[in-house]
Amino acid sequence: MLFRSWASEVEAPWPDVATVTDHVGVPHLVVTRQALVRQVLADPATYRPDNALDAVTPMPVTALRVLAGHRFRLPPTLANNSGASHPEIRSIVADALHPARVAAQRPWLTALVRDRVTRLAATLDAGAPVDLHTELAADLPLLVLARLVELPDAPVGAVKEFARAALELFWAPLDADRQQALATEVGRFHRVLRDFAATGGGLAAELRAAGHAPDVVVGALFFLLVAGQETTSQFLTLLLHRLAGEPSVRAGLRTGEVAVADVVEEGLRLEPPIVTWRRVAATDSTLGGTVVPAGTSLVLWLARAGRDPAVVEAPDEFRPGQRGSRRHVAFGAGAHRCVGDVLARMEAAVVVAEAAPLLDGVTVVRAPWCPDNLTFRMPDAFVVRSVERAMDQQHDAPRSPEAVPRAY
Ligand code: HEM
């Protein structure tokens, strides 16, 4: 269950708290009930966030050498910081992502998405397949983030590759060769970040001015570049794919009976890009009647907690606005609750409003596939094509095997 938790049978019963041993023999206490997940997140003294960025597959010496060669360090800054510096670092980042600054990006993003949707609609009308992950969702969050926060001058593709490599290196089950390759990729970009952290303006300059050490500035930028864009790209793709299978929701969007914001919330509840998040027990405690010794790794199953029947009326159904729909924990809770929630919601709302009509009359050629990962979904593609045009082409085409529309 640990590395493909989204593929678990949703109907299958699952205990509130259960110990699951991972691929290297480490036991984790998986917490499912939303009330218990919230209890853990609300108590950072007992359940600390220190292990948030620990590699789930211990790094072999070869990969550690590669990282050390790039002087890679991830000191406690944001998600993994239970120290006194956390509130100040968090508030500097939160200022950069202030709701007013996010709202100011909305017209620009709407115009960009509208333009892309027009182009993609023309491609679909011409009978060609369209990958909505690559051509619509993948780069949007990074483009918006770069308008809010000064980032190193690197091509979009390089940042995306680095971010995906980091998510794999720290959260996937891996062999030593793969770890070494990923460490090379992550270490290389870390070096770019270190140079930028020393001289860059905006957020980097503010963190420096507040007296934070260079490693802390790098660590904050590192986390922001991964958490602040890759997660939302994943969510946009997963949500569009979900909407492709929810024609009545799309019909409600068309008539205005279904609110875009409600669709986004139901998406976060049912298709969260971050399926689990970790804490580590600082002291001995009891959780839902289970004894939790100090040092235990807790895996909070955020996705499952969003389907808790004690919270949601119809837990497995995509019903925007239903009772309990907004009471998910996709953004965590408590002192470390996601500071990018307003931004992620704005981006998703724009994409739903502008791109949902694209899904009318298409067939899914290739559903998103997600590699094994403890925490992140990382969909690779989402290819659709027009049903009508595909049928026209089948009628018009000569009867040779090559002319039959192929699966992507
Ligand atoms: C759909 C998209 C997103 C999801 C599902 C998500 C989810 C999460 C989760 C589960 C956490 C850990 C919360 C906890 O420990 O209680 C988190 C933390 C964080 N997220 Fe997000 N996030 C998203 C987008 C973003 C964006 C767009 C940004 C910034 C541009 C961002 C920045 C952060 C930061 C800085 C933290 C650490 C906060 C702290 O430790 O104080 N996230 N996010």
Side-chain angles (χ1 to χ4, degrees), residues 41 78-79 86 90 97 145 223-224 227-228 231-232 235 268 273-274 277 279 302 330-333 335-340 343-344:
L41 292 172
L78 287 157
H86 173 254
R90 180 180 165 95
L97 304 172
L145 187 64
F223 187 72
L224 204 59
T231 46
T232 318
F235 177 52
L268 286 163
I274 297 187
W277 202 248
R279 289 290 192 267
L302 305 180
F331 291 117
H336 290 270
R337 189 178 184 284
C338 179
V339 282
L343 174 57

PDB file of all heavy atoms in Angstrom, residues 41 78-79 86 90 97 145 223-224 227-228 231-232 235 268 273-274 277 279 302 330-333 335-340 343-344, ligand 1:
ATOM      1  N   LEU A  41      -1.285  16.420  13.353  1.00  0.00           N
ATOM      2  CA  LEU A  41      -0.801  17.676  12.760  1.00  0.00           C
ATOM      3  C   LEU A  41      -0.924  18.857  13.733  1.00  0.00           C
ATOM      4  O   LEU A  41      -0.159  19.820  13.651  1.00  0.00           O
ATOM      5  CB  LEU A  41      -1.563  17.968  11.468  1.00  0.00           C
ATOM      6  CG  LEU A  41      -1.267  17.001  10.307  1.00  0.00           C
ATOM      7  CD1 LEU A  41      -2.216  17.247   9.140  1.00  0.00           C
ATOM      8  CD2 LEU A  41       0.185  17.134   9.849  1.00  0.00           C
ATOM      9  N   LEU A  78      11.433  24.870   6.204  1.00  0.00           N
ATOM     10  CA  LEU A  78       9.969  25.022   6.177  1.00  0.00           C
ATOM     11  C   LEU A  78       9.320  23.722   6.670  1.00  0.00           C
ATOM     12  O   LEU A  78       9.135  23.528   7.856  1.00  0.00           O
ATOM     13  CB  LEU A  78       9.525  25.395   4.759  1.00  0.00           C
ATOM     14  CG  LEU A  78       9.876  26.842   4.361  1.00  0.00           C
ATOM     15  CD1 LEU A  78       9.944  27.006   2.859  1.00  0.00           C
ATOM     16  CD2 LEU A  78       8.864  27.818   4.957  1.00  0.00           C
ATOM     17  N   ALA A  79       9.011  22.831   5.730  1.00  0.00           N
ATOM     18  CA  ALA A  79       8.244  21.630   6.091  1.00  0.00           C
ATOM     19  C   ALA A  79       8.946  20.748   7.121  1.00  0.00           C
ATOM     20  O   ALA A  79       8.293  20.038   7.874  1.00  0.00           O
ATOM     21  CB  ALA A  79       7.948  20.823   4.831  1.00  0.00           C
ATOM     22  N   HIS A  86      11.375  28.568  12.251  1.00  0.00           N
ATOM     23  CA  HIS A  86      10.291  28.256  11.317  1.00  0.00           C
ATOM     24  C   HIS A  86       9.276  29.397  11.130  1.00  0.00           C
ATOM     25  O   HIS A  86       9.000  29.789   9.983  1.00  0.00           O
ATOM     26  CB  HIS A  86       9.573  26.949  11.706  1.00  0.00           C
ATOM     27  CG  HIS A  86       8.367  26.685  10.872  1.00  0.00           C
ATOM     28  ND1 HIS A  86       7.080  26.841  11.343  1.00  0.00           N
ATOM     29  CD2 HIS A  86       8.244  26.333   9.570  1.00  0.00           C
ATOM     30  CE1 HIS A  86       6.229  26.567  10.375  1.00  0.00           C
ATOM     31  NE2 HIS A  86       6.906  26.253   9.289  1.00  0.00           N
ATOM     32  N   ARG A  90       8.668  31.037   7.474  1.00  0.00           N
ATOM     33  CA  ARG A  90       7.331  30.824   6.917  1.00  0.00           C
ATOM     34  C   ARG A  90       6.644  32.166   6.604  1.00  0.00           C
ATOM     35  O   ARG A  90       6.011  32.322   5.573  1.00  0.00           O
ATOM     36  CB  ARG A  90       6.495  30.018   7.917  1.00  0.00           C
ATOM     37  CG  ARG A  90       5.081  29.741   7.443  1.00  0.00           C
ATOM     38  CD  ARG A  90       4.313  28.927   8.482  1.00  0.00           C
ATOM     39  NE  ARG A  90       2.903  28.966   8.194  1.00  0.00           N
ATOM     40  CZ  ARG A  90       2.233  28.052   7.496  1.00  0.00           C
ATOM     41  NH1 ARG A  90       2.864  27.014   7.025  1.00  0.00           N
ATOM     42  NH2 ARG A  90       0.953  28.185   7.284  1.00  0.00           N
ATOM     43  N   LEU A  97       3.548  35.030  -1.099  1.00  0.00           N
ATOM     44  CA  LEU A  97       2.396  34.318  -1.661  1.00  0.00           C
ATOM     45  C   LEU A  97       1.086  34.890  -1.113  1.00  0.00           C
ATOM     46  O   LEU A  97       0.064  34.189  -1.070  1.00  0.00           O
ATOM     47  CB  LEU A  97       2.492  32.830  -1.305  1.00  0.00           C
ATOM     48  CG  LEU A  97       3.774  32.120  -1.736  1.00  0.00           C
ATOM     49  CD1 LEU A  97       3.817  30.712  -1.156  1.00  0.00           C
ATOM     50  CD2 LEU A  97       3.877  32.071  -3.256  1.00  0.00           C
ATOM     51  N   LEU A 145       4.634  30.933 -10.465  1.00  0.00           N
ATOM     52  CA  LEU A 145       5.538  31.099  -9.319  1.00  0.00           C
ATOM     53  C   LEU A 145       6.661  32.089  -9.650  1.00  0.00           C
ATOM     54  O   LEU A 145       7.036  32.923  -8.826  1.00  0.00           O
ATOM     55  CB  LEU A 145       6.131  29.732  -8.924  1.00  0.00           C
ATOM     56  CG  LEU A 145       6.967  29.713  -7.652  1.00  0.00           C
ATOM     57  CD1 LEU A 145       6.118  30.058  -6.425  1.00  0.00           C
ATOM     58  CD2 LEU A 145       7.636  28.355  -7.453  1.00  0.00           C
ATOM     59  N   PHE A 223      12.830  23.868  -1.425  1.00  0.00           N
ATOM     60  CA  PHE A 223      11.501  23.325  -1.110  1.00  0.00           C
ATOM     61  C   PHE A 223      10.418  24.032  -1.917  1.00  0.00           C
ATOM     62  O   PHE A 223       9.498  23.420  -2.450  1.00  0.00           O
ATOM     63  CB  PHE A 223      11.229  23.447   0.393  1.00  0.00           C
ATOM     64  CG  PHE A 223       9.948  22.760   0.774  1.00  0.00           C
ATOM     65  CD1 PHE A 223       9.878  21.372   0.789  1.00  0.00           C
ATOM     66  CD2 PHE A 223       8.807  23.477   1.070  1.00  0.00           C
ATOM     67  CE1 PHE A 223       8.685  20.716   1.106  1.00  0.00           C
ATOM     68  CE2 PHE A 223       7.615  22.832   1.388  1.00  0.00           C
ATOM     69  CZ  PHE A 223       7.554  21.452   1.410  1.00  0.00           C
ATOM     70  N   LEU A 224      10.562  25.349  -2.040  1.00  0.00           N
ATOM     71  CA  LEU A 224       9.542  26.126  -2.758  1.00  0.00           C
ATOM     72  C   LEU A 224       9.482  25.722  -4.238  1.00  0.00           C
ATOM     73  O   LEU A 224       8.401  25.616  -4.828  1.00  0.00           O
ATOM     74  CB  LEU A 224       9.898  27.607  -2.640  1.00  0.00           C
ATOM     75  CG  LEU A 224       8.741  28.570  -2.789  1.00  0.00           C
ATOM     76  CD1 LEU A 224       7.676  28.304  -1.734  1.00  0.00           C
ATOM     77  CD2 LEU A 224       9.238  30.000  -2.675  1.00  0.00           C
ATOM     78  N   ALA A 227       7.822  22.050  -4.012  1.00  0.00           N
ATOM     79  CA  ALA A 227       6.442  22.024  -3.486  1.00  0.00           C
ATOM     80  C   ALA A 227       5.563  23.054  -4.169  1.00  0.00           C
ATOM     81  O   ALA A 227       4.356  22.866  -4.280  1.00  0.00           O
ATOM     82  CB  ALA A 227       6.463  22.290  -1.982  1.00  0.00           C
ATOM     83  N   GLY A 228       6.179  24.140  -4.605  1.00  0.00           N
ATOM     84  CA  GLY A 228       5.390  25.266  -5.093  1.00  0.00           C
ATOM     85  C   GLY A 228       4.963  25.180  -6.542  1.00  0.00           C
ATOM     86  O   GLY A 228       4.270  26.064  -7.033  1.00  0.00           O
ATOM     87  N   THR A 231       3.697  20.018  -7.384  1.00  0.00           N
ATOM     88  CA  THR A 231       2.455  19.522  -6.767  1.00  0.00           C
ATOM     89  C   THR A 231       1.233  20.028  -7.527  1.00  0.00           C
ATOM     90  O   THR A 231       0.309  19.267  -7.800  1.00  0.00           O
ATOM     91  CB  THR A 231       2.344  20.028  -5.315  1.00  0.00           C
ATOM     92  OG1 THR A 231       2.650  21.406  -5.307  1.00  0.00           O
ATOM     93  CG2 THR A 231       3.263  19.281  -4.395  1.00  0.00           C
ATOM     94  N   THR A 232       1.240  21.305  -7.859  1.00  0.00           N
ATOM     95  CA  THR A 232       0.058  21.867  -8.524  1.00  0.00           C
ATOM     96  C   THR A 232      -0.057  21.350  -9.954  1.00  0.00           C
ATOM     97  O   THR A 232      -1.171  21.078 -10.421  1.00  0.00           O
ATOM     98  CB  THR A 232       0.096  23.415  -8.498  1.00  0.00           C
ATOM     99  OG1 THR A 232       0.539  23.833  -7.207  1.00  0.00           O
ATOM    100  CG2 THR A 232      -1.277  23.996  -8.753  1.00  0.00           C
ATOM    101  N   PHE A 235      -1.665  18.122  -9.632  1.00  0.00           N
ATOM    102  CA  PHE A 235      -3.090  18.252  -9.286  1.00  0.00           C
ATOM    103  C   PHE A 235      -3.917  18.640 -10.522  1.00  0.00           C
ATOM    104  O   PHE A 235      -4.998  18.094 -10.750  1.00  0.00           O
ATOM    105  CB  PHE A 235      -3.255  19.287  -8.163  1.00  0.00           C
ATOM    106  CG  PHE A 235      -4.696  19.530  -7.807  1.00  0.00           C
ATOM    107  CD1 PHE A 235      -5.546  18.464  -7.513  1.00  0.00           C
ATOM    108  CD2 PHE A 235      -5.216  20.817  -7.775  1.00  0.00           C
ATOM    109  CE1 PHE A 235      -6.888  18.674  -7.191  1.00  0.00           C
ATOM    110  CE2 PHE A 235      -6.546  21.031  -7.457  1.00  0.00           C
ATOM    111  CZ  PHE A 235      -7.392  19.965  -7.167  1.00  0.00           C
ATOM    112  N   LEU A 268      -9.435  18.350  -4.718  1.00  0.00           N
ATOM    113  CA  LEU A 268      -8.390  18.238  -3.687  1.00  0.00           C
ATOM    114  C   LEU A 268      -8.701  17.095  -2.731  1.00  0.00           C
ATOM    115  O   LEU A 268      -7.811  16.382  -2.268  1.00  0.00           O
ATOM    116  CB  LEU A 268      -8.301  19.556  -2.893  1.00  0.00           C
ATOM    117  CG  LEU A 268      -7.651  20.711  -3.646  1.00  0.00           C
ATOM    118  CD1 LEU A 268      -7.981  22.052  -2.973  1.00  0.00           C
ATOM    119  CD2 LEU A 268      -6.126  20.534  -3.688  1.00  0.00           C
ATOM    120  N   PRO A 273      -2.646  15.619  -4.960  1.00  0.00           N
ATOM    121  CA  PRO A 273      -1.338  15.231  -5.515  1.00  0.00           C
ATOM    122  C   PRO A 273      -0.403  14.692  -4.434  1.00  0.00           C
ATOM    123  O   PRO A 273       0.471  13.880  -4.725  1.00  0.00           O
ATOM    124  CB  PRO A 273      -0.799  16.537  -6.097  1.00  0.00           C
ATOM    125  CG  PRO A 273      -1.477  17.616  -5.304  1.00  0.00           C
ATOM    126  CD  PRO A 273      -2.832  17.081  -4.942  1.00  0.00           C
ATOM    127  N   ILE A 274      -0.599  15.157  -3.188  1.00  0.00           N
ATOM    128  CA  ILE A 274       0.211  14.666  -2.065  1.00  0.00           C
ATOM    129  C   ILE A 274      -0.670  13.683  -1.287  1.00  0.00           C
ATOM    130  O   ILE A 274      -1.628  14.101  -0.637  1.00  0.00           O
ATOM    131  CB  ILE A 274       0.676  15.833  -1.168  1.00  0.00           C
ATOM    132  CG1 ILE A 274       1.592  16.767  -1.970  1.00  0.00           C
ATOM    133  CG2 ILE A 274       1.365  15.314   0.082  1.00  0.00           C
ATOM    134  CD1 ILE A 274       2.254  17.868  -1.161  1.00  0.00           C
ATOM    135  N   TRP A 277       1.803  12.329   4.149  1.00  0.00           N
ATOM    136  CA  TRP A 277       2.843  13.242   4.657  1.00  0.00           C
ATOM    137  C   TRP A 277       3.334  12.693   5.988  1.00  0.00           C
ATOM    138  O   TRP A 277       2.562  12.055   6.707  1.00  0.00           O
ATOM    139  CB  TRP A 277       2.280  14.661   4.799  1.00  0.00           C
ATOM    140  CG  TRP A 277       3.364  15.707   4.798  1.00  0.00           C
ATOM    141  CD1 TRP A 277       3.737  16.482   5.850  1.00  0.00           C
ATOM    142  CD2 TRP A 277       4.195  16.102   3.691  1.00  0.00           C
ATOM    143  NE1 TRP A 277       4.768  17.332   5.467  1.00  0.00           N
ATOM    144  CE2 TRP A 277       5.059  17.100   4.152  1.00  0.00           C
ATOM    145  CE3 TRP A 277       4.303  15.681   2.366  1.00  0.00           C
ATOM    146  CZ2 TRP A 277       6.018  17.706   3.339  1.00  0.00           C
ATOM    147  CZ3 TRP A 277       5.261  16.279   1.553  1.00  0.00           C
ATOM    148  CH2 TRP A 277       6.096  17.284   2.037  1.00  0.00           C
ATOM    149  N   ARG A 279       5.376  12.500   9.817  1.00  0.00           N
ATOM    150  CA  ARG A 279       5.794  13.100  11.085  1.00  0.00           C
ATOM    151  C   ARG A 279       6.602  12.038  11.827  1.00  0.00           C
ATOM    152  O   ARG A 279       6.514  10.851  11.502  1.00  0.00           O
ATOM    153  CB  ARG A 279       4.574  13.491  11.942  1.00  0.00           C
ATOM    154  CG  ARG A 279       3.776  14.694  11.427  1.00  0.00           C
ATOM    155  CD  ARG A 279       4.564  15.989  11.596  1.00  0.00           C
ATOM    156  NE  ARG A 279       3.733  17.168  11.379  1.00  0.00           N
ATOM    157  CZ  ARG A 279       3.604  17.805  10.214  1.00  0.00           C
ATOM    158  NH1 ARG A 279       4.223  17.358   9.134  1.00  0.00           N
ATOM    159  NH2 ARG A 279       2.865  18.898  10.127  1.00  0.00           N
ATOM    160  N   LEU A 302      -3.210  11.283   3.874  1.00  0.00           N
ATOM    161  CA  LEU A 302      -4.071  12.451   3.650  1.00  0.00           C
ATOM    162  C   LEU A 302      -5.202  12.122   2.675  1.00  0.00           C
ATOM    163  O   LEU A 302      -6.340  12.564   2.842  1.00  0.00           O
ATOM    164  CB  LEU A 302      -3.252  13.623   3.092  1.00  0.00           C
ATOM    165  CG  LEU A 302      -2.029  14.063   3.909  1.00  0.00           C
ATOM    166  CD1 LEU A 302      -1.336  15.236   3.223  1.00  0.00           C
ATOM    167  CD2 LEU A 302      -2.405  14.437   5.332  1.00  0.00           C
ATOM    168  N   ALA A 330      -5.856  17.912   2.357  1.00  0.00           N
ATOM    169  CA  ALA A 330      -4.901  17.892   1.241  1.00  0.00           C
ATOM    170  C   ALA A 330      -3.749  18.867   1.462  1.00  0.00           C
ATOM    171  O   ALA A 330      -2.636  18.653   0.954  1.00  0.00           O
ATOM    172  CB  ALA A 330      -5.621  18.221  -0.068  1.00  0.00           C
ATOM    173  N   PHE A 331      -3.992  19.959   2.211  1.00  0.00           N
ATOM    174  CA  PHE A 331      -2.938  20.949   2.467  1.00  0.00           C
ATOM    175  C   PHE A 331      -2.324  20.782   3.860  1.00  0.00           C
ATOM    176  O   PHE A 331      -1.625  21.669   4.337  1.00  0.00           O
ATOM    177  CB  PHE A 331      -3.501  22.361   2.333  1.00  0.00           C
ATOM    178  CG  PHE A 331      -3.859  22.742   0.906  1.00  0.00           C
ATOM    179  CD1 PHE A 331      -5.176  23.027   0.564  1.00  0.00           C
ATOM    180  CD2 PHE A 331      -2.891  22.811  -0.083  1.00  0.00           C
ATOM    181  CE1 PHE A 331      -5.510  23.390  -0.735  1.00  0.00           C
ATOM    182  CE2 PHE A 331      -3.223  23.169  -1.388  1.00  0.00           C
ATOM    183  CZ  PHE A 331      -4.529  23.462  -1.718  1.00  0.00           C
ATOM    184  N   GLY A 332      -2.588  19.650   4.521  1.00  0.00           N
ATOM    185  CA  GLY A 332      -2.096  19.476   5.880  1.00  0.00           C
ATOM    186  C   GLY A 332      -2.926  20.303   6.847  1.00  0.00           C
ATOM    187  O   GLY A 332      -4.057  20.701   6.532  1.00  0.00           O
ATOM    188  N   ALA A 333      -2.348  20.577   8.021  1.00  0.00           N
ATOM    189  CA  ALA A 333      -3.056  21.360   9.042  1.00  0.00           C
ATOM    190  C   ALA A 333      -2.039  21.817  10.078  1.00  0.00           C
ATOM    191  O   ALA A 333      -0.941  21.268  10.166  1.00  0.00           O
ATOM    192  CB  ALA A 333      -4.143  20.507   9.710  1.00  0.00           C
ATOM    193  N   ALA A 335       0.633  24.201  12.281  1.00  0.00           N
ATOM    194  CA  ALA A 335       1.718  25.174  12.103  1.00  0.00           C
ATOM    195  C   ALA A 335       2.412  25.070  10.743  1.00  0.00           C
ATOM    196  O   ALA A 335       3.008  26.037  10.272  1.00  0.00           O
ATOM    197  CB  ALA A 335       2.756  24.977  13.200  1.00  0.00           C
ATOM    198  N   HIS A 336       2.338  23.902  10.118  1.00  0.00           N
ATOM    199  CA  HIS A 336       3.029  23.710   8.835  1.00  0.00           C
ATOM    200  C   HIS A 336       2.066  23.628   7.658  1.00  0.00           C
ATOM    201  O   HIS A 336       2.471  23.259   6.547  1.00  0.00           O
ATOM    202  CB  HIS A 336       3.905  22.453   8.886  1.00  0.00           C
ATOM    203  CG  HIS A 336       5.085  22.626   9.774  1.00  0.00           C
ATOM    204  ND1 HIS A 336       6.285  23.108   9.320  1.00  0.00           N
ATOM    205  CD2 HIS A 336       5.226  22.437  11.107  1.00  0.00           C
ATOM    206  CE1 HIS A 336       7.135  23.187  10.330  1.00  0.00           C
ATOM    207  NE2 HIS A 336       6.512  22.783  11.431  1.00  0.00           N
ATOM    208  N   ARG A 337       0.802  23.956   7.910  1.00  0.00           N
ATOM    209  CA  ARG A 337      -0.189  23.877   6.828  1.00  0.00           C
ATOM    210  C   ARG A 337       0.352  24.620   5.603  1.00  0.00           C
ATOM    211  O   ARG A 337       1.025  25.650   5.722  1.00  0.00           O
ATOM    212  CB  ARG A 337      -1.489  24.534   7.304  1.00  0.00           C
ATOM    213  CG  ARG A 337      -2.625  24.314   6.362  1.00  0.00           C
ATOM    214  CD  ARG A 337      -3.899  24.946   6.914  1.00  0.00           C
ATOM    215  NE  ARG A 337      -4.998  24.632   6.031  1.00  0.00           N
ATOM    216  CZ  ARG A 337      -5.198  25.227   4.872  1.00  0.00           C
ATOM    217  NH1 ARG A 337      -4.366  26.200   4.480  1.00  0.00           N
ATOM    218  NH2 ARG A 337      -6.180  24.866   4.100  1.00  0.00           N
ATOM    219  N   CYS A 338       0.053  24.097   4.429  1.00  0.00           N
ATOM    220  CA  CYS A 338       0.585  24.644   3.182  1.00  0.00           C
ATOM    221  C   CYS A 338       0.371  26.153   3.084  1.00  0.00           C
ATOM    222  O   CYS A 338      -0.755  26.631   3.267  1.00  0.00           O
ATOM    223  CB  CYS A 338      -0.116  23.946   2.015  1.00  0.00           C
ATOM    224  SG  CYS A 338       0.438  24.543   0.418  1.00  0.00           S
ATOM    225  N   VAL A 339       1.437  26.902   2.761  1.00  0.00           N
ATOM    226  CA  VAL A 339       1.285  28.353   2.594  1.00  0.00           C
ATOM    227  C   VAL A 339       0.933  28.706   1.147  1.00  0.00           C
ATOM    228  O   VAL A 339       0.692  29.868   0.847  1.00  0.00           O
ATOM    229  CB  VAL A 339       2.548  29.165   2.978  1.00  0.00           C
ATOM    230  CG1 VAL A 339       2.692  29.302   4.455  1.00  0.00           C
ATOM    231  CG2 VAL A 339       3.790  28.603   2.364  1.00  0.00           C
ATOM    232  N   GLY A 340       0.916  27.690   0.276  1.00  0.00           N
ATOM    233  CA  GLY A 340       0.615  27.964  -1.136  1.00  0.00           C
ATOM    234  C   GLY A 340      -0.819  27.614  -1.500  1.00  0.00           C
ATOM    235  O   GLY A 340      -1.159  27.570  -2.685  1.00  0.00           O
ATOM    236  N   LEU A 343      -2.723  30.068  -3.742  1.00  0.00           N
ATOM    237  CA  LEU A 343      -2.172  30.049  -5.099  1.00  0.00           C
ATOM    238  C   LEU A 343      -2.627  28.794  -5.854  1.00  0.00           C
ATOM    239  O   LEU A 343      -3.083  28.871  -7.010  1.00  0.00           O
ATOM    240  CB  LEU A 343      -0.640  30.100  -5.013  1.00  0.00           C
ATOM    241  CG  LEU A 343       0.130  29.951  -6.314  1.00  0.00           C
ATOM    242  CD1 LEU A 343      -0.290  31.008  -7.326  1.00  0.00           C
ATOM    243  CD2 LEU A 343       1.643  30.033  -6.057  1.00  0.00           C
ATOM    244  N   ALA A 344      -2.503  27.635  -5.209  1.00  0.00           N
ATOM    245  CA  ALA A 344      -2.886  26.377  -5.877  1.00  0.00           C
ATOM    246  C   ALA A 344      -4.366  26.396  -6.243  1.00  0.00           C
ATOM    247  O   ALA A 344      -4.753  25.981  -7.340  1.00  0.00           O
ATOM    248  CB  ALA A 344      -2.581  25.193  -4.959  1.00  0.00           C
TER     249      ALA A 344
HETATM  250  C1  HEM B   1      -2.391  21.359  -4.949  1.00  0.00           C
HETATM  251  C2  HEM B   1      -1.213  21.823  -4.595  1.00  0.00           C
HETATM  252  C3  HEM B   1      -0.581  21.656  -3.243  1.00  0.00           C
HETATM  253  C4  HEM B   1      -0.804  20.715  -2.283  1.00  0.00           C
HETATM  254  C5  HEM B   1      -1.783  19.560  -2.299  1.00  0.00           C
HETATM  255  C6  HEM B   1       0.078  21.027  -1.168  1.00  0.00           C
HETATM  256  C7  HEM B   1       0.142  20.291   0.014  1.00  0.00           C
HETATM  257  C8  HEM B   1       0.996  20.562   1.053  1.00  0.00           C
HETATM  258  C9  HEM B   1       1.129  19.744   2.244  1.00  0.00           C
HETATM  259  C10 HEM B   1       0.369  18.467   2.521  1.00  0.00           C
HETATM  260  C11 HEM B   1       2.060  20.323   3.044  1.00  0.00           C
HETATM  261  C12 HEM B   1       2.535  19.841   4.425  1.00  0.00           C
HETATM  262  C13 HEM B   1       1.589  20.421   5.461  1.00  0.00           C
HETATM  263  C14 HEM B   1       1.817  19.979   6.871  1.00  0.00           C
HETATM  264  O1  HEM B   1       2.912  19.536   7.233  1.00  0.00           O
HETATM  265  O2  HEM B   1       0.854  20.108   7.677  1.00  0.00           O
HETATM  266  C15 HEM B   1       2.522  21.514   2.361  1.00  0.00           C
HETATM  267  C16 HEM B   1       3.458  22.387   2.862  1.00  0.00           C
HETATM  268  C17 HEM B   1       3.937  23.456   2.169  1.00  0.00           C
HETATM  269  N1  HEM B   1       3.549  23.895   0.929  1.00  0.00           N
HETATM  270 FE1  HEM B   1       2.100  23.084  -0.236  1.00  0.00          FE
HETATM  271  N2  HEM B   1       0.801  22.134  -1.487  1.00  0.00           N
HETATM  272  C18 HEM B   1       0.422  22.559  -2.741  1.00  0.00           C
HETATM  273  C19 HEM B   1       0.913  23.673  -3.406  1.00  0.00           C
HETATM  274  C20 HEM B   1       1.814  24.557  -2.911  1.00  0.00           C
HETATM  275  C21 HEM B   1       2.230  25.763  -3.565  1.00  0.00           C
HETATM  276  C22 HEM B   1       1.669  26.283  -4.879  1.00  0.00           C
HETATM  277  C23 HEM B   1       3.183  26.335  -2.763  1.00  0.00           C
HETATM  278  C24 HEM B   1       3.973  27.607  -2.941  1.00  0.00           C
HETATM  279  C25 HEM B   1       4.136  28.255  -4.069  1.00  0.00           C
HETATM  280  C26 HEM B   1       3.351  25.484  -1.613  1.00  0.00           C
HETATM  281  C27 HEM B   1       4.229  25.723  -0.584  1.00  0.00           C
HETATM  282  C28 HEM B   1       4.297  24.988   0.579  1.00  0.00           C
HETATM  283  C29 HEM B   1       5.210  25.306   1.673  1.00  0.00           C
HETATM  284  C30 HEM B   1       6.225  26.451   1.712  1.00  0.00           C
HETATM  285  C31 HEM B   1       4.976  24.349   2.676  1.00  0.00           C
HETATM  286  C32 HEM B   1       5.684  24.236   4.019  1.00  0.00           C
HETATM  287  C33 HEM B   1       4.914  25.062   5.045  1.00  0.00           C
HETATM  288  C34 HEM B   1       5.531  25.032   6.419  1.00  0.00           C
HETATM  289  O3  HEM B   1       6.199  24.058   6.779  1.00  0.00           O
HETATM  290  O4  HEM B   1       5.344  26.013   7.149  1.00  0.00           O
HETATM  291  N3  HEM B   1       2.510  24.420  -1.735  1.00  0.00           N
HETATM  292  N4  HEM B   1       1.869  21.636   1.162  1.00  0.00           N
END
